[in-house]
Structures are given as C-alpha cells and as structure tokens.
C-alpha cells in the first residue's frame, strides 16, 4: 500500500477517523477538502486538524464542484479519491480522475438507509443493527458496488453521539484494512442490487424532531435519542411555547396521554401507550434537571397536569 496516493474529501468525527485509517495504511494524502468547524461541533477533532499535523494541504470546500478544484485534483494525479462523510455530492467528472477509483464511506449497511443522516434515522426507526459501508462512487448517491462493510449493534439506549463514535471507530478500521485490497484489486465487489431492496432517507429538518403525544412511548424515546446532545434535541411544542426534551427514558409508571405527572420519582410525560420519565429539559437556554423546575416549565407551557 505504501506509494499509493489519494485526495480526500472528509468531515465529521467519522471523516476524521477514516482519514486516520487511510494514513495508518500508508496512503499518501495529497490534499484534504473539508469544512470549517462550527462552534456547536467542538466535540470532535476535525479532519483539518489531523491533516495539518501531517503537513497535508487543507482546502475549505465552500464550493467543491468547480473547474478550479477539478483542475487542482487532476494535477495531483491521485490513485484514489475518497469521500468520508463529505457534505456535497461529488460530480461524475471527478470520479474519473483517480487511477484506482473513487470510494465513499457511508454510515449504514447499504443498500439500507441510503441518503443523509443515516445514524439519526436508524435510531428514529428503532433499528437494532447498522454499520458502515465502503463502496465505489457513481453519479448516483450511495449507489456503487460494496467493497467492505462492518456491522454495529445498536444498544437499546444508544444515542446519535454514542453510535457516531462506534461508527468512527469501525470506519477507521474498515478503511485501514481495505486499503491494500483497493490498491491491488483483490477486494470482491458486491452489487448492491444482489442484497435486496434499498431504502432512502433525506436530510433531517428541524420539524423532524418534533414530539407528538400521539406517538407511542417507544417512538418518542427513539426521537429523543436520535438527536440527544450534542445534536439540537427533540422538542415539545404547545400554543404557549417550545421546550426541548434533551433526555428521557421509558418507564412503567403511568401517566395519561398528553399530560404530565410530577412526583418524587421524577416528571412523567404521557404518550399513546405509556410514559417517559424526564431527565433533562431545555427552556430558553437553561438546562432543567430538577423535577420541580421541569414541572414548572411544563405548567408554563400549558401541558395538562394529571
């Protein structure tokens, strides 16, 4: 594998880990295209930091699919082009540049959960297993032949953060172990069509994290853990305002649908078939972890108390 070269497009904690795996395999990275880290993303080390420490040129990809970027990558004459949780769909002409192919790391067991935010969506849908997939890139999203996969069990109380950290660790190992086979062409290529029907999910919108008392308690819990900290959180909206439900857990304790119940065991929220016990609410920037504060906030929002 030493001697192979690559241009890498990467972001997120998974992108950082995959870049590290590639470097551990001995691939020479000619350039990194990435994004500036926003203040609410400080919980992970960005790919740019890893690249800069290795002396790899870093380019902030405000607009990747330009003639200027195309010519710059062509000048590198890379063996590979890798996309690790890159935000843009890379144009077809770029995929023809690398001598040994263009490959993407996707956060699901393809062909399931193609598209955006797969880690959040598998939690929303209550899946018990997911994974990461290294596949050849085509002009269609998440469409090419599979080169390698790693399976990940999803714990009952898994959150987007804990599952992302699992995916990052798995992605690092998957890329590192697959790199030699990519270079010598020995990795089998699996047509996704042979694995059954695909599913696709788009990017998540703020409204996708709204809680509804018509949900089952399980559905509400899945919604909460899919966007638990450091994600923006699920929220409950009433005519009087909005409160974020940062964390809550299923409970056998009873509470009527559409209402809350305050006790020394905590504050309960009632859904269609059961209740959740609140651990943390967020209201107007304040974290509410005491049950008495939580009850006051729900009364203020007009949630019925039973």
């Amino acid at each position: 594998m030493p001697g192979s070269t690559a241009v890498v497009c990467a972001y997120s904690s998974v992108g950082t880990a995959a870049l590290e795996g590639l470097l551990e395999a001995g691939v020479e990275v000619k350039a990194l295209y990435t994004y500036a880290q926003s203040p609410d993303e400080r919980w992970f080390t960005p790919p740019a930091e890893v690249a800069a420490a290795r002396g790899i040129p870093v380019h902030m990809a405000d607009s990747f699919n330009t003639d200027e970027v195309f010519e710059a990558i062509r000048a590198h004459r890379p063996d590979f082009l890798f996309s690790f949780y890159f935000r843009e769909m890379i144009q077809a002409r770029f995929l023809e540049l690398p001598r040994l192919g263009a490959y993407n790391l996707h956060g699901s067991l393809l062909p399931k959960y193609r598209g955006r935010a797969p880690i959040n969506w598998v939690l929303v849908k209550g899946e018990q297993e997911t994974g990461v997939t290294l596949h050849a890139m085509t002009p269609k999203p998440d469409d090419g032949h599979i080169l390698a996969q790693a399976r990940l069990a999803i714990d009952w109380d898994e959150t987007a953060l804990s599952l992302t950290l699992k995916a990052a660790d798995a992605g690092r190992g998957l890329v590192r172990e697959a790199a030699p086979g990519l270079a010598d062409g020995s990795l089998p290529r699996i047509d996704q069509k042979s694995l059954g029907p695909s599913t696709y999910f788009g990017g998540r919108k703020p409204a996708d994290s709204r809680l509804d008392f018509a949900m089952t308690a399980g559905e509400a819990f899945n919604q909460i853990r899919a966007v638990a900290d450091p994600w923006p959180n699920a929220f409950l909206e009433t005519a009087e305002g909005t409160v974020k439900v940062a964390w809550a857990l299923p409970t056998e304790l009873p509470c009527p649908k559409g209402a809350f119940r305050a006790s020394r065991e905590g504050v309960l929220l009632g859904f269609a078939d059961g209740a959740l016990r609140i651990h943390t609410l967020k209201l107007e920037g304040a974290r509410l972890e005491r049950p008495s504060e939580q009850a006051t906030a729900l009364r203020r929002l007009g949630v019925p108390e039973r």
Side-chain angles (χ1 to χ4, degrees):
M1 195 62 196
S4 296
T5 64
V7 169
V8 175
C9 304
Y11 195 62
S12 87
S13 57
V14 180
T16 299
L19 173 61
E20 291 171 336
L22 198 64
L23 294 169
E24 289 165 6
V27 177
E28 180 186 357
V29 177
K30 292 289 191 178
L32 170 71
Y33 288 84
T34 187
Y35 305 97
Q37 191 176 37
S38 64
D40 61 352
E41 295 173 321
R42 299 299 185 194
W43 57 271
F44 67 87
T45 300
E49 188 172 317
V50 171
R54 298 291 194 101
I56 299 167
V58 175
H59 305 278
M60 293 301 165
D62 297 326
S63 183
F64 179 81
N65 289 302
T66 64
D67 291 343
E68 181 182 0
V69 173
F70 179 82
E71 293 301 332
I73 293 176
R74 182 160 66 175
H76 286 303
R77 300 172 62 87
D79 294 318
F80 298 105
L81 176 65
F82 288 102
S83 173
F84 300 142
Y85 274 51
F86 200 56
R87 290 173 176 170
E88 290 182 70
M89 185 69 184
I90 297 174
Q91 288 179 351
R93 60 176 177 158
F94 287 82
L95 309 184
E96 299 171 358
L97 292 176
R99 183 176 67 87
L100 297 177
Y103 302 94
N104 177 57
L105 185 69
H106 184 72
S108 77
L109 290 175
L110 291 175
K112 303 296 185 183
Y113 289 91
R114 290 179 177 175
R116 303 282 186 174
I119 284 177
N120 307 91
W121 282 118
V122 296
L123 294 173
V124 169
K125 298 300 181 180
E127 300 287 359
Q128 297 182 353
E129 182 184 56
T130 188
V132 290
T133 301
L134 185 69
H135 68 93
M137 280 196 280
T138 75
K140 296 181 180 179
D142 308 322
D143 179 63
H145 287 184
I146 291 171
L147 281 300
Q149 282 187 322
R151 308 183 86 87
L152 299 172
I154 300 175
D155 293 329
W156 74 270
D157 59 348
E158 199 86 65
T159 66
L161 176 59
S162 65
L163 190 53
T164 295
L165 296 177
K166 282 184 179 180
D169 187 58
R172 177 189 289 107
L174 193 71
V175 169
R176 182 180 60 243
E177 293 163 16
L182 290 177
D184 64 20
S186 62
L187 281 181
R189 292 175 175 257
I190 301 171
D191 189 335
Q192 291 191 40
K193 295 183 180 65
S194 70
L195 300 178
S198 65
T199 58
Y200 177 86
F201 292 84
R204 286 183 61 80
K205 305 178 293 294
D208 291 326
S209 298
R210 180 182 288 110
L211 295 172
D212 189 317
F213 287 123
M215 292 174 168
T216 66
E219 289 169 340
F221 175 56
N222 288 341
Q223 189 78 281
I224 291 165
R225 65 196 185 112
V227 286
D229 292 342
W231 273 258
N233 299 153
F235 63 91
L236 189 63
E237 192 172 53
T238 75
E240 304 301 322
T242 299
V243 64
K244 292 184 176 182
V245 184
W247 190 240
L249 287 172
T251 178
E252 296 297 323
L253 296 171
C255 183
K257 173 183 171 182
F260 81 93
R261 175 171 291 168
S263 72
R264 289 185 177 274
E265 285 74 32
V267 173
L268 309 181
L269 272 180
F271 291 89
D273 67 343
L276 298 181
R277 183 165 64 87
I278 295 172
H279 284 241
T280 306
L281 296 180
K282 294 179 184 177
L283 182 65
E284 298 174 350
R287 291 180 67 91
L288 308 179
E289 296 180 341
R290 290 172 47 216
S292 58
E293 293 177 326
Q294 295 165 358
T296 297
L298 293 174
R299 291 186 193 107
R300 173 179 163 188
L301 291 171
V303 180
E305 184 173 4
R306 299 286 188 264

